[in-house]
């Protein structure tokens, strides 16, 4: 198990990472596309072990806060071992000054890293808030468009119903008008027929009366002739 852990650690240290070459750079990065490298003048690839030997710690954006914190502690130990000379009576005071200065520098580096982490978190938070705002706006727009579409559909349906009612009313009025006209026509035809029948009756009666009168007159004349 220990051998496996050593192999994994060796393989990890052999992997290439990316660092900015400026003096103010403090971290190593897993990806060349890390946002913290966007403004670096020069970026180069080195092994992870080399980066650690340089006192660089893991980038919080690339490796996460937990890994970065552990890496910072390890980087401080490496820096301290690399820069602190053995204490001797001759150089003990100078060594203490160097250690104090290095600690101060390390503290500044750690503070700068923390500041970068805070800025990254703030940027992420702002991006999430902006995305949520855009999503909410998009939902409102879709909801408004759907509402307007439903309103338009209702208005169109109402208009069609109104038009259909008007058409039906017009058709009913037209049919009623036609029935009234037909009734009037029938009544006029009936009156005309009745008048013709009445006229025919009068004509027939008059003709019959005339014929009867002639027949009576003829019979009377015959009887008078026979009597003489």
């Amino acid at each position: 198990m220990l051998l496996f852990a050593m192999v994994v650690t060796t393989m990890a240290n052999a992997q290439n990472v990316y660092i900015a070459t400026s003096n103010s750079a403090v971290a190593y990065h897993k990806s060349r596309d890390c946002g913290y490298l966007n403004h670096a003048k020069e970026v180069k690839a080195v092994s992870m072990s080399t980066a650690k030997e340089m006192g660089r710690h893991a980038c919080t954006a690339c490796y996460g806060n937990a890994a970065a914190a552990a890496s910072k502690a390890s980087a401080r130990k490496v820096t301290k071992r690399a820069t602190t000379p053995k204490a001797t009576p001759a150089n003990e005071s100078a060594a203490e000054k160097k250690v104090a200065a290095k600690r101060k520098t390390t503290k500044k580096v750690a503070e700068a890293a923390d500041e970068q982490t805070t800025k990254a978190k703030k940027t992420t938070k702002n991006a999430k808030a902006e995305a949520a705002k855009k999503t909410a706006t998009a939902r409102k727009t879709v909801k408004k468009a759907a509402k307007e579409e439903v309103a338009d559909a209702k208005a169109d349906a109402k208009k069609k119903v109104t038009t259909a009612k008007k058409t039906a009313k017009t058709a009913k009025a037209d049919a009623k008008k036609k029935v009234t006209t037909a009734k009037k026509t029938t009544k006029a035809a009936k009156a005309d027929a009745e008048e013709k029948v009445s006229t025919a009756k009068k004509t027939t009666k008059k003709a019959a009366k005339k014929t009867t009168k002639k027949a009576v007159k003829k019979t009377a004349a015959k009887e008078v002739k026979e009597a003489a």
Side-chain angles (χ1 to χ4, degrees):
M1 192 70 173
L2 179 61
L3 179 60
F4 177 74
M6 291 175 65
V7 170
V8 171
T9 304
T10 303
M11 289 177 66
N13 288 334
Q15 290 178 351
N16 281 344
V17 295
Y18 299 88
I19 61 171
T21 57
S22 62
N23 293 330
S24 61
V26 296
Y28 60 85
H29 305 269
K30 190 175 184 178
S31 171
R32 176 64 182 79
D33 297 325
C34 178
Y36 289 127
L37 293 174
N38 287 343
H39 302 292
K41 291 183 179 179
E42 184 182 355
V43 176
K44 69 177 183 178
V46 298
S47 66
M48 186 181 290
S49 58
T50 300
K52 289 180 178 179
E53 288 173 3
M54 294 171 68
R56 303 292 180 92
H57 62 76
C59 168
T60 54
C62 294
Y63 295 94
N65 292 332
S71 179
K72 282 181 186 178
S74 177
R76 290 188 187 118
K77 290 179 182 179
V78 170
T79 303
K80 185 175 180 180
R81 285 199 303 269
T83 57
T84 305
K86 293 181 180 180
T88 63
N91 62 10
E92 187 174 7
S93 179
E96 287 177 353
K97 287 181 181 179
K98 286 183 180 180
V99 170
K102 192 63 181 178
R103 283 178 179 171
K104 190 175 181 180
T105 302
T106 303
K107 186 178 179 181
K108 286 183 179 180
V109 169
E111 288 175 351
D114 290 339
E115 186 179 354
Q116 285 183 342
T117 301
T118 303
K119 285 181 179 178
K121 286 181 179 179
K122 190 175 181 180
T123 301
T124 302
K125 187 177 179 181
N126 291 339
K128 285 183 178 180
E130 184 66 23
K133 187 177 178 181
K134 287 182 179 179
T135 301
T137 302
R139 284 178 180 171
K140 284 181 181 179
T141 302
V142 171
K143 191 174 181 181
K144 185 179 179 182
K147 194 174 180 181
E148 288 177 353
E149 189 174 346
V150 170
D152 290 342
K154 284 184 177 179
D156 187 52
K158 189 175 181 180
K159 187 178 179 181
K160 286 181 178 178
V161 169
T162 303
T163 303
K165 284 182 177 179
K166 285 182 179 179
T167 303
K169 190 176 180 180
T170 303
K172 188 176 180 181
D174 187 50
K176 189 175 181 181
K177 187 178 179 181
K178 286 181 179 179
V179 169
T180 303
T181 303
K183 283 182 178 180
K184 286 181 179 179
T185 303
T186 302
K187 189 176 181 180
K190 187 177 180 182
D192 186 54
E194 286 177 351
E195 187 179 352
K196 286 181 179 179
V197 169
S198 178
T199 303
K201 282 182 179 180
K202 285 179 181 180
T203 304
T204 303
K205 190 175 180 181
K206 189 177 180 181
K209 191 177 181 181
K210 189 176 181 180
T211 302
T212 301
K213 192 177 181 180
K214 282 182 180 181
V216 170
K217 191 176 181 181
K218 187 176 180 182
T219 302
K222 186 178 180 183
E223 285 177 357
V224 169
K225 186 177 181 182
E226 285 178 354

